[in-house]
Coordinates of all heavy atoms in Angstrom, one line a residue:
L638 N -8.0 24.8 14.4 CA -7.2 24.3 15.6 C -5.7 24.7 15.5 O -5.2 25.2 16.5 CB -7.3 22.8 15.7 CG -6.5 22.1 16.7 CD1 -6.9 22.5 18.1 CD2 -6.7 20.6 16.6
L639 N -5.1 24.5 14.4 CA -3.7 24.8 14.2 C -3.5 26.3 14.3 O -2.5 26.8 14.9 CB -3.2 24.3 12.9 CG -3.0 22.8 12.9 CD1 -2.6 22.3 11.5 CD2 -2.0 22.2 13.9
E640 N -4.4 27.1 13.8 CA -4.2 28.6 13.9 C -4.3 29.0 15.3 O -3.6 29.9 15.8 CB -5.3 29.3 13.0 CG -5.0 29.2 11.5 CD -6.1 29.9 10.7 OE1 -7.2 30.1 11.2 OE2 -5.7 30.3 9.6
R641 N -5.3 28.4 16.1 CA -5.4 28.7 17.5 C -4.1 28.4 18.3 O -3.8 29.0 19.3 CB -6.6 28.0 18.0 CG -7.0 28.3 19.5 CD -8.5 28.1 19.7 NE -9.0 26.9 19.3 CZ -8.9 25.7 20.0 NH1 -8.3 25.7 21.1 NH2 -9.4 24.6 19.5
L642 N -3.4 27.4 17.8 CA -2.2 27.0 18.5 C -0.9 27.7 18.0 O 0.2 27.4 18.3 CB -2.0 25.5 18.3 CG -3.0 24.6 18.9 CD1 -2.8 23.1 18.6 CD2 -3.0 24.7 20.5
G643 N -1.2 28.8 17.1 CA -0.1 29.7 16.7 C 0.5 29.4 15.4 O 1.5 30.0 15.0
C644 N -0.1 28.5 14.6 CA 0.5 28.2 13.3 C -0.1 29.1 12.2 O -1.2 29.5 12.3 CB 0.2 26.7 12.9 SG 0.9 25.5 14.1
V645 N 0.7 29.3 11.2 CA 0.3 30.0 10.0 C 0.1 29.0 8.9 O 1.0 28.3 8.6 CB 1.3 31.1 9.5 CG1 0.9 31.7 8.3 CG2 1.6 32.1 10.6
I646 N -1.2 28.9 8.4 CA -1.5 27.8 7.5 C -1.6 28.3 6.1 O -2.1 29.3 5.8 CB -2.9 27.2 7.9 CG1 -3.0 27.0 9.4 CG2 -3.2 25.9 7.1 CD1 -2.0 26.0 9.9
D647 N -1.1 27.4 5.2 CA -1.3 27.7 3.7 C -1.8 26.4 3.1 O -1.7 25.3 3.7 CB -0.1 28.2 3.0 CG 1.0 27.1 2.9 OD1 0.8 26.1 2.2 OD2 2.1 27.3 3.6
F648 N -2.5 26.5 2.0 CA -3.0 25.3 1.3 C -2.6 25.3 -0.2 O -3.1 26.0 -1.0 CB -4.6 25.4 1.3 CG -5.3 24.2 0.7 CD1 -5.4 23.0 1.3 CD2 -5.7 24.3 -0.6 CE1 -6.1 22.0 0.7 CE2 -6.3 23.3 -1.3 CZ -6.5 22.1 -0.6
P649 N -1.5 24.5 -0.5 CA -1.1 24.4 -1.8 C -2.2 23.9 -2.8 O -2.6 22.7 -2.6 CB 0.1 23.5 -1.7 CG 0.6 23.5 -0.3 CD -0.7 23.7 0.5
E650 N -2.6 24.7 -3.7 CA -3.8 24.3 -4.5 C -3.5 23.3 -5.6 O -4.4 22.8 -6.2 CB -4.4 25.6 -5.1 CG -5.0 26.5 -4.0 CD -5.8 27.7 -4.6 OE1 -6.0 27.7 -5.8 OE2 -6.2 28.5 -3.8
S651 N -2.2 23.1 -5.8 CA -1.8 22.1 -6.8 C -1.8 20.7 -6.3 O -1.6 19.7 -7.0 CB -0.4 22.4 -7.3 OG 0.6 22.4 -6.3
Q652 N -2.1 20.5 -5.0 CA -2.2 19.1 -4.4 C -3.3 18.3 -5.0 O -4.4 18.8 -5.3 CB -2.3 19.1 -2.9 CG -3.5 19.8 -2.3 CD -3.5 19.8 -0.8 OE1 -3.7 18.8 -0.2 NE2 -3.2 21.0 -0.2
V653 N -3.0 17.0 -5.2 CA -4.0 16.1 -5.8 C -4.0 14.9 -4.8 O -3.7 15.0 -3.7 CB -3.6 15.6 -7.2 CG1 -3.7 16.8 -8.2 CG2 -2.1 15.1 -7.2
C654 N -4.4 13.7 -5.4 CA -4.4 12.5 -4.6 C -3.0 12.1 -4.3 O -2.1 12.3 -5.2 CB -5.2 11.4 -5.3 SG -5.1 9.8 -4.5
C655 N -2.7 11.5 -3.2 CA -1.4 11.0 -2.8 C -0.9 9.8 -3.6 O 0.2 9.4 -3.5 CB -1.3 10.8 -1.3 SG -2.3 9.4 -0.7
G656 N -1.9 9.2 -4.3 CA -1.6 8.0 -5.1 C -1.8 6.7 -4.4 O -1.6 5.6 -5.0
Q657 N -2.2 6.7 -3.1 CA -2.4 5.5 -2.4 C -3.4 4.5 -3.0 O -3.0 3.3 -3.1 CB -2.8 5.8 -0.9 CG -2.9 4.5 -0.1 CD -3.1 4.8 1.4 OE1 -3.5 3.9 2.1 NE2 -3.0 6.1 1.8
P658 N -4.6 4.9 -3.4 CA -5.5 3.9 -4.0 C -4.9 3.1 -5.2 O -5.0 1.9 -5.2 CB -6.7 4.7 -4.3 CG -6.6 5.9 -3.5 CD -5.2 6.2 -3.3
G659 N -4.4 3.9 -6.1 CA -3.8 3.2 -7.3 C -2.6 2.4 -6.9 O -2.4 1.2 -7.4
F660 N -1.7 2.9 -6.1 CA -0.5 2.1 -5.7 C -0.9 0.8 -5.0 O -0.3 -0.2 -5.3 CB 0.3 3.0 -4.7 CG 1.6 2.3 -4.2 CD1 2.7 2.2 -5.1 CD2 1.6 1.8 -3.0 CE1 3.8 1.6 -4.6 CE2 2.8 1.2 -2.5 CZ 3.9 1.1 -3.4
N661 N -1.8 0.9 -4.1 CA -2.2 -0.4 -3.4 C -3.0 -1.3 -4.3 O -3.1 -2.5 -3.9 CB -3.1 0.0 -2.2 CG -2.4 0.6 -1.1 OD1 -1.1 0.6 -1.0 ND2 -3.1 1.2 -0.1
S662 N -3.4 -0.9 -5.4 CA -4.1 -1.7 -6.4 C -3.2 -2.3 -7.4 O -3.6 -3.0 -8.3 CB -5.3 -1.0 -7.1 OG -6.2 -0.6 -6.1
G663 N -1.9 -1.9 -7.3 CA -0.9 -2.5 -8.2 C -0.5 -1.6 -9.4 O 0.4 -1.9 -10.2
Y664 N -1.1 -0.4 -9.4 CA -0.8 0.6 -10.5 C 0.3 1.5 -10.1 O 0.1 2.7 -10.0 CB -2.1 1.3 -10.9 CG -3.2 0.5 -11.5 CD1 -4.2 0.0 -10.6 CD2 -3.2 0.0 -12.8 CE1 -5.2 -0.8 -11.1 CE2 -4.2 -0.8 -13.3 CZ -5.2 -1.2 -12.4 OH -6.2 -2.0 -12.9
V665 N 1.5 0.9 -10.0 CA 2.6 1.7 -9.4 C 3.1 2.8 -10.4 O 3.3 3.9 -10.0 CB 3.8 0.7 -9.1 CG1 5.0 1.5 -8.6 CG2 3.4 -0.3 -8.1
K666 N 3.3 2.4 -11.6 CA 3.7 3.4 -12.6 C 2.8 4.6 -12.7 O 3.2 5.8 -12.7 CB 3.9 2.7 -14.0 CG 4.4 3.7 -15.1 CD 4.5 2.9 -16.4 CE 5.0 3.9 -17.5 NZ 5.1 3.2 -18.8
E667 N 1.5 4.3 -12.8 CA 0.5 5.3 -13.0 C 0.4 6.2 -11.7 O 0.3 7.4 -11.8 CB -0.9 4.7 -13.2 CG -1.0 4.0 -14.6 CD -0.5 2.6 -14.6 OE1 0.1 2.2 -13.5 OE2 -0.6 1.9 -15.6
S668 N 0.6 5.6 -10.5 CA 0.5 6.3 -9.3 C 1.7 7.3 -9.1 O 1.5 8.3 -8.4 CB 0.5 5.3 -8.1 OG -0.6 4.5 -8.1
K669 N 2.8 7.0 -9.6 CA 4.0 7.8 -9.5 C 3.8 9.2 -10.0 O 4.4 10.2 -9.5 CB 5.2 7.2 -10.2 CG 5.8 6.1 -9.3 CD 7.1 5.6 -10.0 CE 7.8 4.5 -9.1 NZ 9.0 4.0 -9.7
E670 N 2.9 9.4 -11.0 CA 2.7 10.7 -11.6 C 2.0 11.6 -10.6 O 2.3 12.8 -10.4 CB 1.8 10.6 -12.9 CG 2.6 9.9 -14.0 CD 3.9 10.5 -14.3 OE1 4.0 11.7 -14.5 OE2 4.9 9.7 -14.3
A671 N 1.0 11.0 -9.8 CA 0.3 11.8 -8.8 C 1.3 12.1 -7.6 O 1.3 13.2 -7.1 CB -0.9 11.0 -8.3
M672 N 2.1 11.1 -7.3 CA 3.1 11.3 -6.2 C 4.1 12.4 -6.6 O 4.4 13.3 -5.7 CB 3.9 10.0 -6.0 CG 3.0 8.9 -5.5 SD 4.0 7.3 -5.4 CE 2.7 6.1 -5.2
K673 N 4.5 12.5 -7.8 CA 5.4 13.6 -8.2 C 4.7 14.9 -8.1 O 5.4 15.9 -7.7 CB 5.9 13.4 -9.6 CG 6.9 12.2 -9.8 CD 7.2 11.9 -11.2 CE 8.2 10.8 -11.4 NZ 8.5 10.5 -12.8
R674 N 3.5 15.0 -8.4 CA 2.7 16.2 -8.3 C 2.7 16.7 -6.8 O 2.8 17.9 -6.5 CB 1.3 16.0 -8.8 CG 1.1 16.0 -10.3 CD 1.0 17.3 -10.9 NE -0.1 18.1 -10.4 CZ -1.4 18.0 -10.9 NH1 -1.6 17.2 -11.9 NH2 -2.3 18.8 -10.4
M675 N 2.5 15.7 -6.0 CA 2.4 16.0 -4.5 C 3.8 16.5 -4.0 O 3.9 17.4 -3.2 CB 1.9 14.8 -3.8 CG 0.5 14.5 -4.0 SD -0.7 15.8 -3.6 CE -1.1 15.3 -1.9
I676 N 4.8 15.8 -4.4 CA 6.2 16.2 -4.0 C 6.4 17.7 -4.4 O 6.9 18.5 -3.6 CB 7.2 15.3 -4.6 CG1 7.1 13.9 -3.9 CG2 8.6 15.8 -4.4 CD1 8.0 12.8 -4.6
E677 N 6.1 18.0 -5.6 CA 6.3 19.4 -6.1 C 5.3 20.4 -5.3 O 5.8 21.5 -5.0 CB 6.0 19.4 -7.6 CG 7.1 18.7 -8.4 CD 6.7 18.7 -9.9 OE1 5.5 18.8 -10.2 OE2 7.7 18.5 -10.7
A678 N 4.1 20.0 -5.1 CA 3.2 20.8 -4.4 C 3.7 21.3 -3.0 O 3.4 22.4 -2.6 CB 1.8 20.2 -4.2
F679 N 4.3 20.4 -2.3 CA 4.8 20.7 -0.9 C 6.3 20.9 -0.8 O 6.8 20.9 0.3 CB 4.4 19.5 0.0 CG 2.9 19.4 0.2 CD1 2.1 18.5 -0.5 CD2 2.2 20.3 1.0 CE1 0.8 18.3 -0.4 CE2 0.8 20.2 1.1 CZ 0.1 19.2 0.4
E680 N 7.0 21.1 -2.0 CA 8.4 21.1 -2.0 C 9.0 22.3 -1.1 O 10.0 22.1 -0.5 CB 8.9 21.3 -3.4 CG 10.4 21.1 -3.6 CD 10.8 21.0 -5.0 OE1 10.0 21.2 -5.9 OE2 12.0 20.6 -5.2
H681 N 8.3 23.4 -1.0 CA 8.8 24.5 -0.3 C 8.1 24.7 1.1 O 8.3 25.7 1.7 CB 8.6 25.8 -1.1 CG 9.3 25.7 -2.4 ND1 10.7 25.6 -2.6 CD2 8.8 25.6 -3.7 CE1 11.0 25.6 -3.8 NE2 9.9 25.6 -4.6
S682 N 7.3 23.7 1.5 CA 6.7 23.8 2.8 C 7.6 23.5 3.9 O 8.6 22.8 3.8 CB 5.5 22.7 2.9 OG 4.6 23.0 1.9
E683 N 7.4 24.2 5.1 CA 8.2 24.0 6.3 C 7.8 22.7 7.0 O 8.6 21.9 7.4 CB 8.1 25.2 7.2 CG 8.9 25.2 8.4 CD 8.8 26.4 9.3 OE1 8.5 27.5 8.7 OE2 9.0 26.3 10.5
Y684 N 6.4 22.6 7.2 CA 5.8 21.4 7.7 C 4.6 21.1 6.9 O 3.9 22.0 6.4 CB 5.4 21.6 9.2 CG 6.5 21.7 10.2 CD1 7.0 22.9 10.6 CD2 7.1 20.5 10.7 CE1 8.0 23.0 11.6 CE2 8.2 20.6 11.6 CZ 8.6 21.9 12.1 OH 9.6 22.0 13.0

Side-chain angles (χ1 to χ4, degrees):
L638 175 61
L639 290 175
E640 286 182 338
R641 186 152 49 82
L642 294 174
C644 299
V645 177
I646 314 297
D647 68 69
F648 180 83
E650 295 186 7
S651 58
Q652 61 181 284
V653 292
C654 176
C655 66
Q657 183 176 164
F660 179 78
N661 288 348
S662 298
Y664 296 98
V665 179
K666 181 180 178 182
E667 294 82 355
S668 298
K669 282 185 175 181
E670 295 307 309
M672 295 176 194
K673 289 176 181 178
R674 285 276 301 274
M675 292 299 264
I676 290 171
E677 291 175 338
F679 295 101
E680 191 166 10
H681 302 294
S682 300
E683 184 176 332
Y684 289 98

